[in-house]
Every structure is written in C-alpha cells, then in structure tokens.
Amino acid sequence: MTNQPGRNDLAGKNIVTVFGGTGFLGRRIVTRLLDKAVDVRSVSRHPHKYKLDTVSGQRPSQEIEADILDSSSIAAAVAGSRAVVNAVSLYVERGEHTFERVHIEAAADLATASRDAGVEMFVQISGIGSDPKSRSNYIQARGRGEEVVKAAFPGAVIVRPSVMAGPDDAFITTIARLVRILPIYPLFGEGGTRLQPVYVEDVAEAVSRLASGQYSTDASIFECAGPRIYSYRELVQEIATQLNARSRLVPVPFAVWSIVATAAEFLPAVSLTRNQVDLMRRDNVTANDLPGLEELGIQSRGIEELVHMIEHEA
Ligand SMILES: NC(=O)c1ccc[n+]([C@@H]2O[C@H](COP(=O)([O-])OP(=O)(O)OC[C@H]3O[C@@H](n4cnc5c(N)ncnc54)[C@H](OP(=O)(O)O)[C@@H]3O)[C@@H](O)[C@H]2O)c1
C-alpha cells in the first residue's frame, strides 16, 4: 500500500459521490472529504436533512436527491464522479425496502452504473461479520451485497466497520442512557459476545482516505474496528463504571430478545431490530488477516473519549 497524495489532484473529474451522504457515517465521510478539499456530491432521498460540522464550514459541492432503488436516477447521480461510496443503510425491512433489494440489487445497480460511467474507485460500506451463507437474512444480504458489487465493479473496495460509536449513535449512547435509569440491565444472552466498537470518525477518515485517492491499495477488504475487544457484559460494565451507574446486569435469552425485536419493528420509531439481535449472537471482531485502520495510517480511538463526552452532555 502506498501513500499517493498527488492522485487527489487529477485534473477535471475529481468529484467523490457519497450515496447516503446524510447518514450517521455518510455525513462524516462527506465532512472528511470536504476537509481534504475534495469536491463532494452527497446523495440521499432527503438531501437537506442534516447540517454538516466541517472544519472549513463548507457544504458539499452538490446535494442531490436520488433513490438508490431508482436505477434511472442512479446514472445521473454518479455521472462525472472519480469515486463513489455506497453508505446507504437499511436496518428494518418495510414494503419494497427489503435487504435483498437494497443491500444486494441496488448495491449492484450502483456499482454497475459507476463502472459504466467510468468511475475509478467504488467503496462499498458493509459490516464485520457479513456472510453470504448466514442464516440471518440481514447478514446474508450484506455478504451477497459484497459479492455482487465486486462482480459488477472489479477493484471495488469493501469497508466493513465494526459496531460504530459516536455522539448520536444507536449503541453506546443507548447503553449509557439505560445503565443510568435502569436498576436492572438486560444483557443479550449471557453477555459473552465479543465486540470491538469503533469510533465513527475513524471509519469516516478511513473511507475518505480511500475515496479521495490519498491511499492507493491492492487490498479489496478493510475491516475497521476499535483498539479493544470487550465482551458485551464488559462493555456495559465499563460504561456503567465510567458513568458511576449501578445497574445490575442480568442475562436474558436470545429467544426473548427475538420476540421483543419482532414486536418493536412494528413501532413507528424502531428501537430494536431482529438484525441487531442476530448480530449480537456472534462475535463482531476483526479477522486477523485483513487490513484495517492501522494500514490506512489511522490510530483508532477507544470508547472512553465518547463516554466522557456523553457524561458531560447529560
Ligand atoms: N451504524 C453502525 O454501527 C454500522 C456498523 C457497521 C456497518 N454499518 C453500515 O454503514 C452504512 C451506513 O450506516 P449508517 O448507520 O450511517 O446509516 P444511516 O444513519 O441510517 O444513514 C443511511 C443513509 O442512507 C440514505 N438512504 C437510505 N435509503 C436510501 C435510498 N433508498 N436511496 C438513497 N439514499 C438512501 C439515508 O438518507 P435518506 O433516508 O434521506 O435517503 C442516509 O443518508 C450501512 O451500510 C450500514 O449497514 C453501520
């Protein structure tokens, strides 16, 4: 892997298009690219949803409304791009928004349209644990999504984050809120699942380094995770200790969580999904043989910084 700062200066076509550029990860990727003076096109269905917090105070060069499910709008959205990042998510299936449709078919359509438009670099955001053979339809769709993207866009780079933490995340902040108010904290199973939470800003920096051409690489998969592996029980305990909370941790069988998540998915604001329960059944840590943040020159930060932030916001 070589550092090639000059590649960023390619004349003419230097737009990086971020599908899902208003999301939890996507808008940080946009921010990081803008801070590297890269022209960014942010694409989503609701482009003006979030404000960006850039060092330079810039907005994306272009904020485009498009739906990844609408193949006619994809071609226009990727036209003239040097690189395209797919950071679109789907956590709960509703109507035509199925895991198959979004994470496999639409990902393939976007990769194909990017190849046809002469895009040089395609980055697919997936997740650690993605497995085309999994019995979980979410995890399987993420794994198959990686395969179809690689087939449609030879040389595509897959970035698999571990569970991401940030001030507005749905994981660490939820644990922090619950350990403060609940005298008894329900664990997923015995709480033995191993996790390696990563700071969302570190993943955004990694993606921006790949998409901006700051790093060229022959590697096709990067797994981005934090510096420390915790069991789920240790993680909850660590957060509770840092927040001086005294919740008692109690094991709850996964079968119970699956029932709770199935019911929760019918609520308008979904707080727990079946795919989250599926993901919590297996360890979510990096494979030793794949490159990650370190190979991209990023020193990953632990969750302590974040819990400290949450503590001072409360
Ligand atoms: N969050 C985590 O801890 C985590 C961990 C591992 C992997 N990941 C992966 O990282 C990626 C980003 O996740 P995230 O948590 O940042 O997601 P997110 O906050 O839900 O953001 C999703 C983005 O995609 C856009 N989007 C959704 N459906 C779309 C569609 N049909 N067409 C165009 N844009 C669409 C959303 O904007 P609109 O709704 O306005 O369109 C938003 O900008 C996903 O692949 C996710 O699976 C996340």
Side-chain angles (χ1 to χ4, degrees):
M1 197 170 308
T2 52
N3 193 354
Q4 293 186 330
R7 234 181 104 185
N8 204 10
D9 300 325
L10 286 175
K13 191 166 116 178
N14 191 25
I15 294 174
V16 176
T17 296
V18 182
F19 261 76
T22 56
F24 172 62
L25 173 62
R27 68 180 186 278
R28 290 171 165 102
I29 297 171
V30 168
T31 301
R32 296 286 174 151
L33 288 165
L34 289 173
D35 290 340
K36 291 178 172 55
V38 173
D39 284 340
V40 184
R41 181 183 293 157
S42 170
V43 184
S44 66
R45 293 166 302 176
H46 313 95
H48 302 293
K49 207 163 159 187
Y50 292 105
K51 287 204 177 84
L52 290 167
D53 179 24
T54 65
V55 173
S56 56
Q58 300 178 73
R59 292 204 67 81
S61 326
Q62 301 167 27
E63 292 169 295
I64 289 189
E65 184 179 329
D67 189 333
I68 198 172
L69 300 187
D70 171 10
S71 44
S72 63
S73 70
I74 290 178
V78 300
S81 307
R82 193 189 56 75
V84 171
V85 177
N86 180 11
V88 167
S89 74
L90 182 75
Y91 295 116
V92 181
E93 296 185 300
R94 289 209 199 287
E96 65 162 338
H97 295 89
T98 61
F99 297 142
E100 169 99 20
R101 184 73 190 90
V102 173
H103 289 310
I104 305 172
E105 292 172 16
D109 290 346
L110 184 60
T112 302
S114 300
R115 185 200 60 209
D116 292 348
V119 167
E120 292 170 28
M121 169 69 140
F122 189 91
V123 182
Q124 167 76 2
I125 310 299
S126 182
I128 285 184
S130 297
D131 176 2
K133 296 196 178 72
S134 172
R135 289 206 329 231
S136 150
N137 63 347
Y138 177 76
I139 296 170
Q140 184 193 104
R142 301 316 313 261
R144 286 180 53 213
E146 293 183 358
E147 290 178 342
V148 295
V149 163
K150 281 193 276 188
F153 194 109
V157 173
I158 310 292
V159 173
R160 294 180 182 156
S162 170
V163 61
M164 289 187 282
D168 49 341
D169 70 16
F171 186 64
I172 301 283
T173 47
T174 306
I175 297 175
R177 187 163 46 83
L178 293 179
V179 290
R180 279 184 160 138
I181 57 173
L182 297 179
I184 292 176
Y185 185 99
L187 293 170
F188 286 101
E190 295 289 329
T193 308
R194 292 158 72 236
L195 304 167
Q196 204 173 352
V198 62
Y199 197 33
V200 61
E201 296 287 351
D202 291 339
V203 179
E205 179 60 23
V207 176
S208 73
R209 287 186 184 191
L210 289 164
S212 67
Q214 186 175 351
Y215 278 77
S216 71
T217 177
D218 293 331
S220 63
I221 301 179
F222 286 83
E223 291 201 335
C224 300
R228 188 173 153 194
I229 295 175
Y230 300 83
S231 71
Y232 181 60
R233 178 187 281 275
E234 284 168 351
L235 182 66
V236 176
Q237 193 63 65
E238 170 82 25
I239 295 169
T241 304
Q242 284 195 41
L243 295 174
N244 223 1
R246 285 167 206 264
S247 249
R248 191 158 69 86
L249 312 189
V250 177
V252 172
F254 277 102
V256 174
W257 282 112
S258 294
I259 294 166
V260 173
T262 305
E265 287 186 10
F266 286 102
L267 299 174
V270 180
S271 51
L272 181 70
T273 64
R274 279 171 292 171
N275 73 60
Q276 282 172 327
V277 176
D278 284 342
L279 285 167
M280 287 303 300
R281 284 177 190 270
R282 61 211 84 205
D283 291 345
N284 197 259
V285 298
T286 49
N288 289 333
D289 54 344
L290 290 173
L293 293 173
E294 201 183 330
E295 285 75 10
L296 290 166
I298 298 165
Q299 194 173 4
S300 61
R301 284 168 283 181
I303 58 155
E304 298 78 8
E305 206 174 307
L306 178 64
V307 176
H308 189 68
M309 249 187 260
I310 294 168
E311 192 177 12
H312 285 84
E313 274 172 14

